[in-house]
Amino acid sequence: MLKYTISTLFSFCFLFAFSQSKSIDLNPKDTIARTDPYGIRVGIDLSRPLQSFLKDEYQGFEIVGDYRISSKLFLATELGNEDNTKQEDLYNFTTSGSYIKLGVDYNTYDNWYGMHNAIYVGGRYAFSSFSQTLNNYQIFDTDRYWTTPEYQNNPTEIPANGFAPGSTTPQKFSNLNASWLEAVVGIKAELFANIYLGASVRIGFLVSNKEADNFSNLWIPGFNKVTDGSNFGVGFNYSISYFLPLYKKAKKFKAIEKEKEVPEN
């Protein structure tokens, strides 16, 4: 029994001496390994169906999506189709076609762990293929030279603006296309688990614009109105999307360091 007690005491002394020889770090710097989800986010633009409901002359639909490739960077795309009829002073026309936008978004917002919101900037290259139909037009005549002879016997049929009709037979111009670069600023907020509400503003710059010989492209699907003498256009969207997580990547978050106060003697 005495032999067993002596052996036990000797073991405790050895362990105590070993533990005292190891230095003690008063400011430990621990790291905690955590994971971030990576996957595909797909949704629709809410503004286009709303305009389709409110305006008889407009029909549009857009699918939005992005794919996370790093903690801050996302591949992004938009696919859409629009059909829009516009009434100008002297003519009425309809533009119909589809577009695709490809680019990247960079998230500038630092989320807390478990949050996946975004305040982002990005860029797109966009291409649209469409057709335009000139539904009708009137002749611009400042002195009404063409109006008076035609309507002198029927003055009640003179149009309200005083210009004579040029044609009411629709003329269709097909195989039109345009491309542009687009700068994007937007936000995405997670409302519920994997459900995001987003909004963005876009400024586009036309790179190419294939037009008909006798009728300009006045409105381009995905780009919106084309202004005379300017290659710039403005657009926006409001989206709701669903995030489908495919895998997770580890991300290290540095733990908060706490200095230990050493009591004064």
Side-chain angles (χ1 to χ4, degrees):
M1 180 67 180
L2 180 61
K3 182 178 180 181
Y4 175 77
T5 303
I6 293 173
S7 299
T8 303
L9 290 174
F10 180 78
S11 299
F12 275 116
C13 290
F14 176 78
L15 292 173
F16 179 77
F18 178 77
S19 64
Q20 291 299 314
S21 64
K22 189 176 180 180
S23 61
I24 299 175
D25 187 0
L26 296 179
N27 294 308
K29 298 178 181 179
D30 297 331
T31 57
I32 303 172
R34 299 174 180 173
T35 58
D36 268 352
Y38 284 67
I40 299 174
R41 183 163 40 198
V42 180
I44 62 170
D45 172 32
L46 298 174
S47 65
R48 285 168 172 78
L50 179 60
Q51 291 183 72
S52 300
F53 177 76
L54 297 177
K55 300 178 180 178
D56 294 334
E57 64 274 13
Y58 176 86
Q59 293 293 320
F61 186 79
E62 181 180 276
I63 298 174
V64 301
D66 61 51
Y67 176 73
R68 187 178 187 181
I69 58 176
S70 72
S71 60
K72 294 285 189 178
L73 200 61
F74 297 77
L75 295 177
T77 184
E78 291 90 24
L79 300 169
N81 181 274
E82 292 184 299
D83 187 305
N84 192 25
T85 299
K86 300 284 288 183
Q87 176 63 56
E88 300 293 342
D89 291 336
L90 296 174
Y91 43 82
N92 180 284
F93 69 95
T94 300
T95 303
S96 179
S98 302
Y99 60 89
I100 181 172
K101 303 179 182 181
L102 299 171
V104 294
D105 290 333
Y106 180 80
N107 184 14
T108 64
Y109 183 72
D110 291 326
N111 285 288
W112 294 352
Y113 180 71
M115 296 176 61
H116 306 102
N117 300 319
I119 300 175
Y120 63 91
V121 294
R124 304 283 190 276
Y125 173 77
F127 179 83
S128 179
S129 178
F130 56 96
S131 64
Q132 289 198 118
T133 301
L134 180 59
N135 301 315
N136 59 70
Y137 66 90
Q138 294 173 287
I139 298 174
F140 180 75
D141 180 22
T142 56
D143 58 10
R144 308 302 193 268
Y145 175 80
W146 298 105
T147 304
T148 305
E150 184 175 354
Y151 291 101
Q152 59 184 354
N153 296 324
N154 298 291
T156 58
E157 296 182 10
I158 297 177
N161 60 10
F163 296 118
S167 176
T168 56
T169 303
Q171 301 178 50
K172 187 172 183 178
F173 309 98
S174 303
N175 301 319
L176 307 175
N177 60 72
S179 64
W180 63 95
L181 298 175
E182 196 169 82
V184 184
V185 178
I187 62 172
K188 287 187 175 77
E190 189 174 18
L191 297 180
F192 309 103
N194 297 333
I195 302 294
Y196 290 82
L197 188 65
S200 68
V201 177
R202 291 129 187 280
I203 299 177
F205 179 81
L206 275 176
V207 176
S208 66
N209 187 16
K210 180 183 177 182
E211 300 179 318
D213 294 334
N214 53 348
F215 192 66
S216 300
N217 293 336
L218 304 173
W219 195 89
I220 298 173
F223 183 83
N224 294 330
K225 184 178 180 179
V226 180
T227 305
D228 290 339
S230 175
N231 288 334
F232 288 95
V234 178
F236 64 91
N237 75 354
Y238 301 98
S239 64
I240 186 168
S241 56
Y242 176 79
F243 176 69
L244 178 63
L246 300 178
Y247 60 95
K248 293 183 177 181
K249 280 187 179 181
K251 182 177 181 180
K252 289 185 178 180
F253 294 82
K254 187 176 289 187
I256 299 176
E257 298 179 3
K258 294 183 178 179
E259 296 184 357
K260 293 184 177 181
E261 297 182 359
V262 179
E264 296 181 357
N265 293 329

